[in-house]
Amino acid sequence: MPVTKKLYNTPGVSAYIYIMSILSGYPVGAKITADLYENNIISYGQACRITTFTSTSGPLFILGTVGIGMFHSKSFGIIILISHFLGAIINGLFYRKYNLKNEKNDVKISEKVEIKTSILEDCMLNGIKSILIVGGYVALFFMIISMLNSYNILSPFNFMLGYILKFLNLPYDVVSGITNGLIEITKGCL
């Protein structure tokens, strides 16, 4: 019996998805899960449970961009990386019983084998498309945050959060990082 079946009520392929997600980062875990669901290899409930622990940032982003680039600390990046991956594992445990009652065993793997000659091309196009989509969303939300900040639309939220932070004896400097991070995490980290 696979470890993922005992821990998360998911098939063994979810271990592969988790490993690919922690090696590659967003959106690889979600993309592989969606592909398996679309090809009727996993059920809807399994796809939902798999996504709870396979949607992670990559080590290059956490260590390089956040740890070293933003916080100027390799050890801080390692702490964030470990806590991020452990958090994903714990999150999967919280949702291990999600959608079990409605789960149907309607997963049927097709016996016909389709031979593709352009597997490399398909992989490259899917990868490029995913990168462009993620980059597009990051740029869009970066722009939205810049507009919200330019027109002081986030000022009331910053004021309320600043009051809470002052009450907790925390520095006011982190207020805009928190409100920006709620909309787009990279801008919040900056």
Side-chain angles (χ1 to χ4, degrees):
M1 181 178 264
V3 173
T4 55
K5 179 67 179 162
K6 288 183 180 181
L7 288 176
Y8 306 117
N9 287 318
T10 59
V13 71
S14 59
Y16 163 74
I17 299 170
Y18 179 73
I19 290 169
M20 291 305 295
S21 175
I22 65 172
L23 291 176
S24 304
Y26 297 118
V28 171
K31 176 72 172 136
I32 295 171
T33 304
D35 288 346
L36 292 175
Y37 174 69
E38 287 172 4
N39 289 316
N40 211 22
I41 295 172
I42 57 174
S43 68
Y44 175 77
Q46 290 170 338
C48 290
R49 288 191 300 278
I50 289 170
T51 340
T52 64
F53 66 93
T54 61
S55 187
T56 61
S57 281
L60 184 62
F61 174 74
I62 293 175
L63 291 173
T65 305
V66 178
I68 295 171
M70 295 178 187
F71 291 110
H72 308 292
S73 172
K74 183 176 119 182
S75 56
F76 195 65
I78 292 170
I79 291 169
I80 295 172
L81 181 71
I82 292 169
S83 60
H84 181 66
F85 292 154
L86 287 175
I89 291 169
I90 292 168
N91 193 51
L93 292 173
F94 282 132
Y95 290 98
R96 69 184 308 272
K97 294 191 186 283
Y98 177 77
N99 210 8
L100 279 177
K101 291 179 184 174
N102 300 331
E103 183 113 344
K104 298 175 188 172
N105 288 331
D106 58 355
V107 177
K108 295 175 188 129
I109 298 174
S110 175
E111 291 184 19
K112 99 176 166 177
V113 176
E114 184 180 330
I115 298 174
K116 286 192 167 190
T117 57
S118 61
I119 293 174
L120 181 60
E121 270 182 43
D122 291 346
C123 290
M124 299 273 294
L125 286 173
N126 277 335
I128 291 168
K129 181 180 172 185
S130 296
I131 290 169
L132 289 174
I133 289 170
V134 170
Y137 278 118
V138 168
L140 174 70
F141 283 102
F142 215 86
M143 182 187 68
I144 289 171
I145 292 170
S146 296
M147 288 174 29
L148 292 174
N149 287 331
S150 294
Y151 293 109
N152 295 321
I153 295 172
L154 294 177
S155 293
F157 300 108
N158 289 344
F159 178 76
M160 288 186 296
L161 186 60
Y163 185 74
I164 294 169
L165 291 178
K166 184 178 180 183
F167 178 73
L168 297 172
N169 291 327
L170 295 171
Y172 185 80
D173 299 346
V174 297
V175 169
S176 65
I178 292 171
T179 54
N180 289 341
L182 291 172
I183 299 169
E184 205 283 309
I185 193 70
T186 309
K187 179 74 170 173
C189 288
L190 288 174

